[in-house]
């Protein structure tokens, strides 16, 4: 395996780093509150970064999300690329790809998802009913990818549903989604094809599994960036903050805590890279995605706590930039399944003999 970025992936990563670094500042994040930064999202779309994901693959997206995580930029980049661009390109019909992919790429269509929730019921004419209590980025979305009780995937327009704002640990512009006989569009085919028996059910389950594994891999990449940003802030702080005439960074306890956080961050990064690379290469990656999700949850929790702890009393300041990394890290810790849940799922997959080599 070779995780070395291609020329296109490296160029996209560097462009993303520049845009996030220029626009996702502490002052702008403070002004945005719990909402998204519309100007930043516009800049990313005008630069062609969401559209580029179709060409640079999941590994390329992970590289871009690392840069977002470093600055905790408040835009629905991961959600729209995973639940929108990659899901539609991999599992949408030819008509859906032609209609939706250009709009997702230029940001006029923003997609979020409710996976792994599967609480939506399907009526005989394809109307959907159910309530999803929390959907990240729902307030920014034009479409939501939802799963029915059989794990079939449906696209729902937010204008056809009820969307009520809710607040999460991290400022992810979230909402409560209520569907009441709401029209839905099956991902990949017509309603008749969706109800076409065992073969259609298998295809629907495969699409669900792929989108969920893709999401877990992508958000692990985002967690790697969040943790890298937290460690960088801790290193800068402990090198400049002095105690008894010496920088905090000269103390062995501080060095060991920072070293552990760095190694945890690298573990999150490399497992996300491997899962993404395998998907791009067309290899089985189900267990690798779960492994990346486990590291993102367990190690991510440790890293953002260490980053806050290494800031001492400043880490308790809700207005300090490192606190934002703490909030994002804790949110990502549980998103798409906390460590114990994904570990149980991984064990079951291995026991059942379905895990990849």
């Amino acid at each position: 395996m070779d995780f070395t970025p291609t020329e296109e992936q490296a160029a996209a990563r560097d462009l993303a780093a520049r845009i996030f670094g220029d626009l996702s500042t502490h002052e702008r994040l403070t002004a945005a509150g719990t909402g998204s930064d519309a100007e930043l999202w516009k800049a990313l779309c005008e630069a062609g970064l969401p559209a580029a994901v179709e060409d640079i693959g999941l590994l390329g997206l992970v590289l871009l999300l690392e840069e977002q995580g470093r600055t905790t930029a408040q835009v629905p980049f991961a959600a729209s690329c995973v639940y929108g661009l990659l899901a539609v390109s991999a599992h949408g019909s030819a008509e859906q790809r032609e209609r939706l992919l250009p709009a997702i790429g230029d940001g006029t269509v923003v997609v979020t998802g409710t996976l792994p929730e599967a609480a939506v019921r399907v009526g005989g004419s394809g109307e959907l009913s159910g309530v999803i209590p929390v959907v990240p980025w729902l307030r920014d979305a034009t479409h939501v990818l939802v799963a029915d009780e059989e794990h079939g995937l449906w696209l729902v327009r937010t204008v056809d549903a009820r969307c009520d704002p809710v607040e999460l640990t991290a400022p992810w512009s979230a909402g409560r989604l209520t569907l009441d006989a709401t029209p839905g569009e099956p991902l990949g085919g017509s309603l008749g094809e969706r109800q076409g028996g065992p073969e259609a059910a298998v295809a629907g389950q495969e699409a669900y599994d792929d989108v969920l594994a893709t999401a877990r891999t992508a958000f692990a990449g985002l967690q790697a960036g969040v943790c890298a940003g937290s460690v960088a802030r801790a290193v800068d702080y402990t090198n400049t903050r002095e105690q008894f005439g010496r920088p905090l960074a000269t103390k062995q306890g501080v060095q060991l805590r920072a070293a552990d956080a760095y190694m945890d961050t690298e573990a999150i990064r490399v497992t996300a890279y491997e899962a993404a690379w395998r998907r791009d290469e067309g290899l089985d990656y189900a267990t690798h995605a779960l492994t990346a999700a486990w590291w993102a949850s367990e190690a991510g929790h440790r890293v953002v706590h260490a980053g806050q702890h290494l800031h001492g009393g400043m880490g308790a300041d809700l207005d300090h930039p490192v606190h934002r990394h703490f909030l994002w890290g804790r949110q990502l810790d549980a998103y798409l399944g906390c460590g114990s849940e994904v570990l149980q799922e991984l064990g079951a997959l291995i026991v059942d003999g379905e895990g990849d080599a």
Side-chain angles (χ1 to χ4, degrees):
M1 62 188 70
D2 184 4
F3 304 151
T4 304
T6 64
E7 183 177 342
E8 291 78 9
Q9 289 171 338
R13 177 198 59 198
D14 295 343
L15 177 58
R18 186 162 65 250
I19 294 174
F20 285 128
D22 290 344
L23 294 181
S24 187
T25 62
H26 177 58
E27 293 73 21
R28 288 178 61 86
L29 289 168
T30 301
T34 62
S36 296
D37 188 332
E39 183 180 344
L40 174 57
W41 180 241
K42 180 180 179 181
L44 292 167
C45 294
E46 289 179 346
L49 288 174
V53 172
E54 193 174 1
D55 296 320
I56 63 178
L58 182 54
L59 180 55
L61 175 60
V62 166
L63 294 172
L64 301 183
L65 294 179
E66 275 193 83
E67 301 306 325
Q68 178 185 0
R70 291 180 201 276
T71 60
T72 59
Q74 292 172 198
V75 287
F77 195 90
S80 199
C81 287
V82 168
Y83 301 119
L85 193 139
L86 290 178
V88 172
S89 63
H91 305 290
S93 65
E95 187 276 332
Q96 287 172 331
R97 292 195 297 270
E98 181 179 359
R99 170 167 50 91
L100 292 173
L101 290 180
I104 297 171
D106 66 22
T108 54
V109 167
V110 176
V111 186
T112 189
T114 67
L115 279 63
E117 297 284 353
V120 174
R121 301 179 301 278
V122 184
S125 301
E127 67 276 6
L128 305 174
S129 299
V131 177
I132 309 298
V134 177
V135 183
W137 307 110
L138 182 63
R139 283 178 264 165
D140 298 324
T142 60
H143 293 71
V144 187
L145 187 69
V146 302
D148 61 33
E149 294 169 326
E150 303 298 325
H151 285 175
L153 298 178
W154 301 75
L155 282 168
V156 175
R157 298 191 311 165
T158 53
V159 294
D160 296 328
R162 178 178 174 180
C163 304
D164 299 309
V166 298
E167 298 301 339
L168 302 181
T169 301
W172 283 6
S173 194
R176 174 188 176 94
L177 179 68
T178 302
L179 306 177
D180 185 9
T182 303
E185 177 184 356
L187 183 66
S190 66
L191 178 61
E193 292 172 332
R194 176 56 51 85
Q195 298 173 336
E199 291 184 1
V202 170
Q205 183 67 51
E206 289 177 350
Y208 174 91
D209 291 342
D210 177 59
V211 173
L212 180 55
T214 298
R216 281 171 165 160
T217 303
F219 281 96
L222 183 62
Q223 181 75 301
V226 169
C227 291
S230 178
V231 171
R233 290 189 182 279
V235 168
D236 179 68
Y237 180 80
T238 56
N239 272 289
T240 56
R241 179 78 165 89
E242 291 190 357
Q243 188 178 64
F244 305 116
R246 297 173 58 195
L248 289 173
T250 62
K251 300 183 180 297
Q252 187 179 47
V254 171
Q255 294 171 359
L256 292 174
R257 191 79 188 275
D260 286 341
Y262 173 80
M263 288 187 291
D264 272 337
T265 301
E266 288 301 297
I268 300 170
R269 175 182 290 115
V270 73
T271 51
Y273 282 7
E274 182 176 11
W277 176 84
R278 290 183 68 89
R279 183 187 189 274
D280 290 344
E281 293 296 314
L283 303 172
D284 291 334
Y285 74 110
T287 57
H288 296 79
L290 287 167
T291 301
W294 183 83
W295 274 104
S297 177
E298 295 289 316
H301 179 105
R302 291 194 295 266
V303 172
V304 296
H305 274 261
Q308 192 171 38
H309 187 202
L310 289 172
H311 278 76
M314 293 300 294
D317 183 357
L318 301 184
D319 295 324
H320 194 282
V322 76
H323 187 69
R324 192 173 292 110
H325 290 267
F326 175 79
L327 294 178
W328 277 65
R330 290 306 307 266
Q331 186 70 45
L332 286 164
D333 166 19
Y335 186 54
L336 302 180
C338 68
S340 59
E341 291 173 329
V342 296
L343 189 61
Q344 182 179 16
E345 190 175 339
L346 175 59
L349 196 64
I350 294 172
V351 169
D352 291 341
E354 297 179 6
D356 41 80

